[in-house]
Amino acid sequence: MQILSKNSNETVKLGEEIGKKLSGGEVIALYGDLGGGKTQFAKGIARGLGIKDNIISPTFVIRREYRLDSRRMFTRPLAGGNDKEGVIRRSSGKKLNLLHYDFYRFEVPDRELVESMEEGINPDNVTVIEWAERVEKYLPKDAIKITFKYISENEREIEITPGSQDLEDKFSKLSF
Ligand SMILES: Nc1ncnc2c1ncn2[C@@H]1O[C@H](COP(=O)(O)OP(=O)(O)OP(=O)(O)O)[C@@H](O)[C@H]1O
Ligand SMILES: [Mg+2]
């Protein structure tokens, strides 16, 4: 499925619509040009999941974790980084954490990092990975693959490969 996004907001909106369809355990692998809109899209996914936090590009922290805490919003460092924990609330009631990775700086990610990523792939979380080509061989077969191509200052071509028939059916009804 191919979409021409005409501005940044459209890309966020597309992410949001896809985020709303997720039920947990999905891996969303993002590919393509620098400045292609991967982080903008991730921001939309967060919104679709009901996350109120501001999503920032995790390029320099590898992973940001937006975790549910029903009482309050807080930030605190996780082991080994400046990672952030925030609050998510999901209208459906199911509480999903967003794990947002960016492997731009990791041509060959180390085993520990890959293992922690693999552990995060479970029904409680949605995993979004920028520069997914760096971890291609560790991605599950049903990963949702999305490629961003720079067309002009405000236009991006976005190609979505859902990874399973079930997801394909869900995404065919996107109200985007
Ligand atoms: N149609 C569009 N979709 C998404 N972003 C757009 C669009 N048009 C313009 N932009 C701008 O392009 C930039 C995209 O940046 P973003 O950080 O999302 O890219 P990225 O793919 O994550 O890059 P990187 O590989 O550096 O992580 C933003 O500044 C955004 O405002
Ligand atoms: Mg980015």
Side-chain angles (χ1 to χ4, degrees), residues 128-139:
V128 173
I129 307 168
E130 296 192 40
W131 291 90
E133 48 269 69
R134 306 275 202 257
V135 288
E136 190 66 39
K137 61 180 173 189
Y138 307 107
L139 297 177

Side-chain angles (χ1 to χ4, degrees), residues 4-12 30-42 57-59 100 102 104 130-131 148 150 152-158:
L4 180 70
S5 162
K6 296 194 194 66
N7 57 57
S8 187
N9 284 342
E10 283 194 8
T11 299
V12 175
L30 308 182
Y31 304 84
D33 298 331
L34 268 171
K38 300 180 290 297
T39 301
Q40 292 296 310
F41 181 85
S57 171
T59 296
H100 183 193
D102 187 330
Y104 179 63
E130 296 192 40
W131 291 90
F148 295 78
Y150 185 101
S152 69
E153 189 179 349
N154 290 307
E155 291 176 315
R156 306 288 187 271
E157 193 179 274
I158 303 175

Side-chain angles (χ1 to χ4, degrees), residues 14-168:
L14 176 66
E16 184 173 353
E17 290 307 313
I18 289 180
K20 284 182 192 162
K21 308 268 183 197
L22 303 175
S23 48
E26 292 91 351
V27 173
I28 303 177
L30 308 182
Y31 304 84
D33 298 331
L34 268 171
K38 300 180 290 297
T39 301
Q40 292 296 310
F41 181 85
K43 190 169 156 180
I45 293 278
R47 282 195 193 162
L49 293 174
I51 295 173
K52 306 284 186 237
D53 259 24
N54 196 19
I55 302 297
I56 344 169
S57 171
T59 296
F60 298 103
V61 293
I62 311 149
R63 159 166 146 167
R64 274 177 200 279
E65 189 165 331
Y66 298 86
R67 186 185 286 281
L68 186 92
D69 179 298
S70 58
R71 286 161 291 132
R72 64 199 170 93
M73 190 177 282
F74 61 99
T75 58
R76 69 171 173 79
L78 294 173
N82 302 320
D83 297 6
K84 187 176 183 191
E85 285 198 26
V87 181
I88 72 165
R89 292 198 181 83
R90 193 165 165 74
S91 49
S92 69
K94 183 159 185 211
K95 300 160 180 179
L96 296 178
N97 304 308
L98 172 64
L99 303 181
H100 183 193
Y101 293 86
D102 187 330
F103 288 109
Y104 179 63
R105 290 180 304 132
F106 292 83
E107 214 144 315
V108 184
D110 62 58
R111 212 179 66 190
E112 211 176 310
L113 185 52
V114 169
E115 278 171 7
S116 92
M117 182 187 82
E118 288 175 326
E119 273 167 30
I121 302 173
N122 66 56
D124 293 333
N125 303 323
V126 165
T127 300
V128 173
I129 307 168
E130 296 192 40
W131 291 90
E133 48 269 69
R134 306 275 202 257
V135 288
E136 190 66 39
K137 61 180 173 189
Y138 307 107
L139 297 177
K141 286 203 173 54
D142 60 354
I144 302 159
K145 298 188 172 186
I146 308 184
T147 303
F148 295 78
K149 193 171 164 203
Y150 185 101
I151 303 292
S152 69
E153 189 179 349
N154 290 307
E155 291 176 315
R156 306 288 187 271
E157 193 179 274
I158 303 175
E159 170 82 45
I160 306 178
T161 309
S164 73
Q165 192 57 48
D166 181 41
L167 288 165
E168 179 129 27

